[in-house]
Amino acid sequence: MTMIQFVDKQTRDTWRFVIDLRYFGSSDPTLHLHTFISLAASPTTSREPMEFTTEQLSQYNGTDPSKPLYVAVKGRVFDVTTGKSFYGPGGPYAMFAGKDASRALAKMSKNEEDVSPSLDGLTEKEIGVLNDWEKKFEAKYPVVGRTAL
């Protein structure tokens, strides 16, 4: 089995495929890959972005090892599972997992009371820090949805 991941640079959608190359008659992952991708990501595939309530998002906090880890930034939910050593149980940013950590990121804070989506009262400098964090998340982690308003 081989895992292949593609990121659409315009929409930032991430497509992950786990394929058994034996079905393509070759051990070369590039051979027949174009056909596979065309079938798997055809225009008939519809993907609505998931919307998470606070309660739903909290289920992706790392306490259930069978679920991915999610962190929201400015209402966008990122799959940070690949950063498990940072956001998983025992990690230095585990308090952000399963939550919108916008305020805490803006304030560069790990205080539980700052782990909140609220941007009220943030300074211009803190908003800039948050925007920098958002860019880092965009570059590193796929977006899986949005938080419910």
Side-chain angles (χ1 to χ4, degrees):
M1 296 296 223
T2 301
M3 198 208 34
I4 301 167
Q5 178 173 307
F6 297 92
V7 178
D8 182 323
K9 296 211 182 276
Q10 284 185 315
T11 64
R12 291 186 169 51
D13 284 343
T14 299
W15 298 75
R16 289 187 183 140
F17 306 104
V18 177
I19 61 173
D20 187 340
L21 295 173
R22 292 177 296 177
Y23 291 109
F24 293 98
S26 171
S27 61
D28 179 0
T30 59
L31 195 61
H32 304 293
L33 192 55
H34 180 72
T35 303
F36 173 76
I37 293 166
S38 297
L39 292 171
S42 69
T44 59
T45 303
S46 68
R47 291 186 30 201
E48 291 294 320
M50 292 180 65
E51 186 171 272
F52 295 87
T53 64
T54 302
E55 184 179 326
Q56 290 168 327
L57 184 59
S58 71
Q59 295 173 21
Y60 299 91
N61 65 0
T63 56
D64 182 345
S66 70
K67 292 184 179 180
L69 286 165
Y70 292 167
V71 172
V73 179
K74 292 172 60 176
R76 291 199 303 162
V77 179
F78 293 88
D79 181 341
V80 299
T81 306
T82 58
K84 191 177 200 173
S85 62
F86 295 103
Y87 301 102
Y93 304 105
M95 74 285 301
F96 297 163
K99 300 176 184 167
D100 189 317
S102 298
R103 184 175 199 81
L105 291 169
K107 296 174 84 52
M108 300 289 288
S109 169
K110 290 191 198 178
N111 295 330
E112 192 64 41
E113 64 270 10
D114 288 327
V115 183
S116 158
S118 174
L119 306 182
D120 294 341
L122 292 178
T123 66
E124 193 173 311
K125 182 179 178 183
E126 289 169 332
I127 294 293
V129 169
L130 177 58
N131 290 338
D132 289 344
W133 273 109
E134 183 180 29
K135 287 175 189 164
K136 288 175 186 171
F137 273 75
E138 288 172 348
K140 195 168 185 179
Y141 305 114
V143 175
V144 295
R146 298 202 54 80
T147 56
L149 300 176

PDB file of all heavy atoms in Angstrom, residues 54-76:
ATOM      1  N   THR A  54     -18.410  23.693  18.436  1.00  0.00           N
ATOM      2  CA  THR A  54     -17.365  23.602  19.466  1.00  0.00           C
ATOM      3  C   THR A  54     -17.295  22.191  20.028  1.00  0.00           C
ATOM      4  O   THR A  54     -16.207  21.640  20.213  1.00  0.00           O
ATOM      5  CB  THR A  54     -17.645  24.621  20.595  1.00  0.00           C
ATOM      6  OG1 THR A  54     -17.696  25.929  20.026  1.00  0.00           O
ATOM      7  CG2 THR A  54     -16.578  24.580  21.667  1.00  0.00           C
ATOM      8  N   GLU A  55     -18.458  21.596  20.259  1.00  0.00           N
ATOM      9  CA  GLU A  55     -18.502  20.233  20.800  1.00  0.00           C
ATOM     10  C   GLU A  55     -17.924  19.226  19.811  1.00  0.00           C
ATOM     11  O   GLU A  55     -17.166  18.335  20.199  1.00  0.00           O
ATOM     12  CB  GLU A  55     -19.948  19.858  21.149  1.00  0.00           C
ATOM     13  CG  GLU A  55     -20.066  18.501  21.802  1.00  0.00           C
ATOM     14  CD  GLU A  55     -21.504  18.157  22.156  1.00  0.00           C
ATOM     15  OE1 GLU A  55     -22.263  19.068  22.512  1.00  0.00           O
ATOM     16  OE2 GLU A  55     -21.838  16.964  22.059  1.00  0.00           O
ATOM     17  N   GLN A  56     -18.264  19.348  18.522  1.00  0.00           N
ATOM     18  CA  GLN A  56     -17.730  18.428  17.520  1.00  0.00           C
ATOM     19  C   GLN A  56     -16.218  18.562  17.402  1.00  0.00           C
ATOM     20  O   GLN A  56     -15.502  17.565  17.332  1.00  0.00           O
ATOM     21  CB  GLN A  56     -18.389  18.676  16.163  1.00  0.00           C
ATOM     22  CG  GLN A  56     -19.840  18.260  16.106  1.00  0.00           C
ATOM     23  CD  GLN A  56     -20.537  18.772  14.859  1.00  0.00           C
ATOM     24  OE1 GLN A  56     -20.225  19.849  14.352  1.00  0.00           O
ATOM     25  NE2 GLN A  56     -21.488  18.006  14.364  1.00  0.00           N
ATOM     26  N   LEU A  57     -15.732  19.792  17.369  1.00  0.00           N
ATOM     27  CA  LEU A  57     -14.289  20.026  17.247  1.00  0.00           C
ATOM     28  C   LEU A  57     -13.537  19.424  18.434  1.00  0.00           C
ATOM     29  O   LEU A  57     -12.450  18.866  18.270  1.00  0.00           O
ATOM     30  CB  LEU A  57     -14.007  21.528  17.128  1.00  0.00           C
ATOM     31  CG  LEU A  57     -12.564  21.946  16.902  1.00  0.00           C
ATOM     32  CD1 LEU A  57     -11.994  21.330  15.630  1.00  0.00           C
ATOM     33  CD2 LEU A  57     -12.477  23.474  16.838  1.00  0.00           C
ATOM     34  N   SER A  58     -14.141  19.498  19.614  1.00  0.00           N
ATOM     35  CA  SER A  58     -13.472  18.987  20.822  1.00  0.00           C
ATOM     36  C   SER A  58     -13.219  17.483  20.766  1.00  0.00           C
ATOM     37  O   SER A  58     -12.373  16.964  21.489  1.00  0.00           O
ATOM     38  CB  SER A  58     -14.276  19.340  22.078  1.00  0.00           C
ATOM     39  OG  SER A  58     -15.467  18.578  22.136  1.00  0.00           O
ATOM     40  N   GLN A  59     -13.935  16.774  19.892  1.00  0.00           N
ATOM     41  CA  GLN A  59     -13.734  15.330  19.758  1.00  0.00           C
ATOM     42  C   GLN A  59     -12.417  14.987  19.065  1.00  0.00           C
ATOM     43  O   GLN A  59     -12.003  13.826  19.048  1.00  0.00           O
ATOM     44  CB  GLN A  59     -14.899  14.715  18.986  1.00  0.00           C
ATOM     45  CG  GLN A  59     -16.213  14.822  19.715  1.00  0.00           C
ATOM     46  CD  GLN A  59     -17.375  14.352  18.867  1.00  0.00           C
ATOM     47  OE1 GLN A  59     -17.205  13.608  17.909  1.00  0.00           O
ATOM     48  NE2 GLN A  59     -18.571  14.783  19.221  1.00  0.00           N
ATOM     49  N   TYR A  60     -11.752  15.990  18.487  1.00  0.00           N
ATOM     50  CA  TYR A  60     -10.497  15.786  17.760  1.00  0.00           C
ATOM     51  C   TYR A  60      -9.321  16.373  18.536  1.00  0.00           C
ATOM     52  O   TYR A  60      -8.453  17.023  17.999  1.00  0.00           O
ATOM     53  CB  TYR A  60     -10.617  16.403  16.348  1.00  0.00           C
ATOM     54  CG  TYR A  60     -11.716  15.756  15.558  1.00  0.00           C
ATOM     55  CD1 TYR A  60     -13.008  16.258  15.582  1.00  0.00           C
ATOM     56  CD2 TYR A  60     -11.468  14.604  14.813  1.00  0.00           C
ATOM     57  CE1 TYR A  60     -14.037  15.642  14.872  1.00  0.00           C
ATOM     58  CE2 TYR A  60     -12.481  13.986  14.105  1.00  0.00           C
ATOM     59  CZ  TYR A  60     -13.760  14.507  14.143  1.00  0.00           C
ATOM     60  OH  TYR A  60     -14.767  13.891  13.442  1.00  0.00           O
ATOM     61  N   ASN A  61      -9.328  16.104  19.845  1.00  0.00           N
ATOM     62  CA  ASN A  61      -8.316  16.677  20.734  1.00  0.00           C
ATOM     63  C   ASN A  61      -7.185  15.724  21.082  1.00  0.00           C
ATOM     64  O   ASN A  61      -6.332  16.040  21.901  1.00  0.00           O
ATOM     65  CB  ASN A  61      -8.985  17.178  22.018  1.00  0.00           C
ATOM     66  CG  ASN A  61      -9.582  16.050  22.837  1.00  0.00           C
ATOM     67  OD1 ASN A  61      -9.512  14.883  22.469  1.00  0.00           O
ATOM     68  ND2 ASN A  61     -10.197  16.406  23.954  1.00  0.00           N
ATOM     69  N   GLY A  62      -7.186  14.545  20.481  1.00  0.00           N
ATOM     70  CA  GLY A  62      -6.099  13.601  20.716  1.00  0.00           C
ATOM     71  C   GLY A  62      -6.373  12.559  21.770  1.00  0.00           C
ATOM     72  O   GLY A  62      -5.564  11.656  21.959  1.00  0.00           O
ATOM     73  N   THR A  63      -7.505  12.650  22.463  1.00  0.00           N
ATOM     74  CA  THR A  63      -7.784  11.638  23.483  1.00  0.00           C
ATOM     75  C   THR A  63      -8.224  10.314  22.883  1.00  0.00           C
ATOM     76  O   THR A  63      -8.082   9.271  23.514  1.00  0.00           O
ATOM     77  CB  THR A  63      -8.857  12.132  24.485  1.00  0.00           C
ATOM     78  OG1 THR A  63     -10.033  12.492  23.759  1.00  0.00           O
ATOM     79  CG2 THR A  63      -8.347  13.317  25.286  1.00  0.00           C
ATOM     80  N   ASP A  64      -8.745  10.345  21.662  1.00  0.00           N
ATOM     81  CA  ASP A  64      -9.120   9.128  20.946  1.00  0.00           C
ATOM     82  C   ASP A  64      -8.083   8.912  19.846  1.00  0.00           C
ATOM     83  O   ASP A  64      -8.089   9.616  18.836  1.00  0.00           O
ATOM     84  CB  ASP A  64     -10.515   9.267  20.351  1.00  0.00           C
ATOM     85  CG  ASP A  64     -10.986   8.009  19.617  1.00  0.00           C
ATOM     86  OD1 ASP A  64     -10.141   7.123  19.313  1.00  0.00           O
ATOM     87  OD2 ASP A  64     -12.191   7.918  19.330  1.00  0.00           O
ATOM     88  N   PRO A  65      -7.183   7.944  20.018  1.00  0.00           N
ATOM     89  CA  PRO A  65      -6.096   7.748  19.048  1.00  0.00           C
ATOM     90  C   PRO A  65      -6.578   7.332  17.652  1.00  0.00           C
ATOM     91  O   PRO A  65      -5.818   7.409  16.691  1.00  0.00           O
ATOM     92  CB  PRO A  65      -5.221   6.670  19.673  1.00  0.00           C
ATOM     93  CG  PRO A  65      -6.038   6.032  20.726  1.00  0.00           C
ATOM     94  CD  PRO A  65      -7.108   7.002  21.125  1.00  0.00           C
ATOM     95  N   SER A  66      -7.837   6.947  17.513  1.00  0.00           N
ATOM     96  CA  SER A  66      -8.347   6.554  16.196  1.00  0.00           C
ATOM     97  C   SER A  66      -8.806   7.766  15.378  1.00  0.00           C
ATOM     98  O   SER A  66      -9.109   7.635  14.202  1.00  0.00           O
ATOM     99  CB  SER A  66      -9.509   5.570  16.340  1.00  0.00           C
ATOM    100  OG  SER A  66     -10.654   6.215  16.869  1.00  0.00           O
ATOM    101  N   LYS A  67      -8.856   8.936  16.003  1.00  0.00           N
ATOM    102  CA  LYS A  67      -9.303  10.149  15.314  1.00  0.00           C
ATOM    103  C   LYS A  67      -8.117  11.068  15.035  1.00  0.00           C
ATOM    104  O   LYS A  67      -7.143  11.082  15.784  1.00  0.00           O
ATOM    105  CB  LYS A  67     -10.328  10.906  16.157  1.00  0.00           C
ATOM    106  CG  LYS A  67     -11.638  10.179  16.306  1.00  0.00           C
ATOM    107  CD  LYS A  67     -12.634  11.015  17.069  1.00  0.00           C
ATOM    108  CE  LYS A  67     -13.956  10.288  17.194  1.00  0.00           C
ATOM    109  NZ  LYS A  67     -14.935  11.077  17.933  1.00  0.00           N
ATOM    110  N   PRO A  68      -8.228  11.878  13.979  1.00  0.00           N
ATOM    111  CA  PRO A  68      -7.165  12.854  13.706  1.00  0.00           C
ATOM    112  C   PRO A  68      -7.170  13.978  14.731  1.00  0.00           C
ATOM    113  O   PRO A  68      -8.109  14.107  15.532  1.00  0.00           O
ATOM    114  CB  PRO A  68      -7.520  13.384  12.312  1.00  0.00           C
ATOM    115  CG  PRO A  68      -8.970  13.112  12.143  1.00  0.00           C
ATOM    116  CD  PRO A  68      -9.296  11.915  12.989  1.00  0.00           C
ATOM    117  N   LEU A  69      -6.120  14.784  14.720  1.00  0.00           N
ATOM    118  CA  LEU A  69      -6.018  15.960  15.593  1.00  0.00           C
ATOM    119  C   LEU A  69      -6.372  17.204  14.787  1.00  0.00           C
ATOM    120  O   LEU A  69      -5.813  17.410  13.702  1.00  0.00           O
ATOM    121  CB  LEU A  69      -4.580  16.120  16.100  1.00  0.00           C
ATOM    122  CG  LEU A  69      -4.102  15.157  17.154  1.00  0.00           C
ATOM    123  CD1 LEU A  69      -2.577  15.216  17.263  1.00  0.00           C
ATOM    124  CD2 LEU A  69      -4.729  15.499  18.481  1.00  0.00           C
ATOM    125  N   TYR A  70      -7.270  18.025  15.313  1.00  0.00           N
ATOM    126  CA  TYR A  70      -7.668  19.253  14.634  1.00  0.00           C
ATOM    127  C   TYR A  70      -7.411  20.459  15.523  1.00  0.00           C
ATOM    128  O   TYR A  70      -7.622  20.410  16.735  1.00  0.00           O
ATOM    129  CB  TYR A  70      -9.152  19.231  14.275  1.00  0.00           C
ATOM    130  CG  TYR A  70      -9.557  18.230  13.218  1.00  0.00           C
ATOM    131  CD1 TYR A  70     -10.899  17.936  13.024  1.00  0.00           C
ATOM    132  CD2 TYR A  70      -8.626  17.582  12.409  1.00  0.00           C
ATOM    133  CE1 TYR A  70     -11.300  17.034  12.047  1.00  0.00           C
ATOM    134  CE2 TYR A  70      -9.020  16.675  11.431  1.00  0.00           C
ATOM    135  CZ  TYR A  70     -10.367  16.405  11.258  1.00  0.00           C
ATOM    136  OH  TYR A  70     -10.754  15.512  10.300  1.00  0.00           O
ATOM    137  N   VAL A  71      -6.986  21.553  14.899  1.00  0.00           N
ATOM    138  CA  VAL A  71      -6.849  22.853  15.564  1.00  0.00           C
ATOM    139  C   VAL A  71      -7.451  23.881  14.620  1.00  0.00           C
ATOM    140  O   VAL A  71      -7.174  23.865  13.419  1.00  0.00           O
ATOM    141  CB  VAL A  71      -5.370  23.214  15.851  1.00  0.00           C
ATOM    142  CG1 VAL A  71      -5.243  24.642  16.365  1.00  0.00           C
ATOM    143  CG2 VAL A  71      -4.756  22.244  16.855  1.00  0.00           C
ATOM    144  N   ALA A  72      -8.270  24.777  15.164  1.00  0.00           N
ATOM    145  CA  ALA A  72      -8.852  25.835  14.348  1.00  0.00           C
ATOM    146  C   ALA A  72      -8.084  27.133  14.563  1.00  0.00           C
ATOM    147  O   ALA A  72      -7.633  27.425  15.665  1.00  0.00           O
ATOM    148  CB  ALA A  72     -10.322  26.037  14.700  1.00  0.00           C
ATOM    149  N   VAL A  73      -7.922  27.874  13.468  1.00  0.00           N
ATOM    150  CA  VAL A  73      -7.284  29.186  13.490  1.00  0.00           C
ATOM    151  C   VAL A  73      -8.167  30.116  12.662  1.00  0.00           C
ATOM    152  O   VAL A  73      -8.410  29.847  11.482  1.00  0.00           O
ATOM    153  CB  VAL A  73      -5.852  29.145  12.890  1.00  0.00           C
ATOM    154  CG1 VAL A  73      -5.223  30.527  12.905  1.00  0.00           C
ATOM    155  CG2 VAL A  73      -4.985  28.142  13.641  1.00  0.00           C
ATOM    156  N   LYS A  74      -8.670  31.160  13.311  1.00  0.00           N
ATOM    157  CA  LYS A  74      -9.562  32.115  12.646  1.00  0.00           C
ATOM    158  C   LYS A  74     -10.731  31.409  11.954  1.00  0.00           C
ATOM    159  O   LYS A  74     -11.109  31.742  10.850  1.00  0.00           O
ATOM    160  CB  LYS A  74      -8.784  32.995  11.672  1.00  0.00           C
ATOM    161  CG  LYS A  74      -7.825  33.942  12.372  1.00  0.00           C
ATOM    162  CD  LYS A  74      -6.904  34.693  11.442  1.00  0.00           C
ATOM    163  CE  LYS A  74      -7.609  35.551  10.448  1.00  0.00           C
ATOM    164  NZ  LYS A  74      -6.643  36.331   9.617  1.00  0.00           N
ATOM    165  N   GLY A  75     -11.259  30.400  12.639  1.00  0.00           N
ATOM    166  CA  GLY A  75     -12.434  29.710  12.143  1.00  0.00           C
ATOM    167  C   GLY A  75     -12.178  28.608  11.136  1.00  0.00           C
ATOM    168  O   GLY A  75     -13.084  27.862  10.789  1.00  0.00           O
ATOM    169  N   ARG A  76     -10.952  28.468  10.670  1.00  0.00           N
ATOM    170  CA  ARG A  76     -10.629  27.377   9.745  1.00  0.00           C
ATOM    171  C   ARG A  76     -10.039  26.223  10.528  1.00  0.00           C
ATOM    172  O   ARG A  76      -9.153  26.421  11.349  1.00  0.00           O
ATOM    173  CB  ARG A  76      -9.659  27.849   8.660  1.00  0.00           C
ATOM    174  CG  ARG A  76     -10.344  28.826   7.719  1.00  0.00           C
ATOM    175  CD  ARG A  76      -9.642  28.981   6.412  1.00  0.00           C
ATOM    176  NE  ARG A  76      -8.258  29.401   6.595  1.00  0.00           N
ATOM    177  CZ  ARG A  76      -7.335  29.273   5.660  1.00  0.00           C
ATOM    178  NH1 ARG A  76      -7.600  28.730   4.508  1.00  0.00           N
ATOM    179  NH2 ARG A  76      -6.125  29.704   5.874  1.00  0.00           N
TER     180      ARG A  76
END
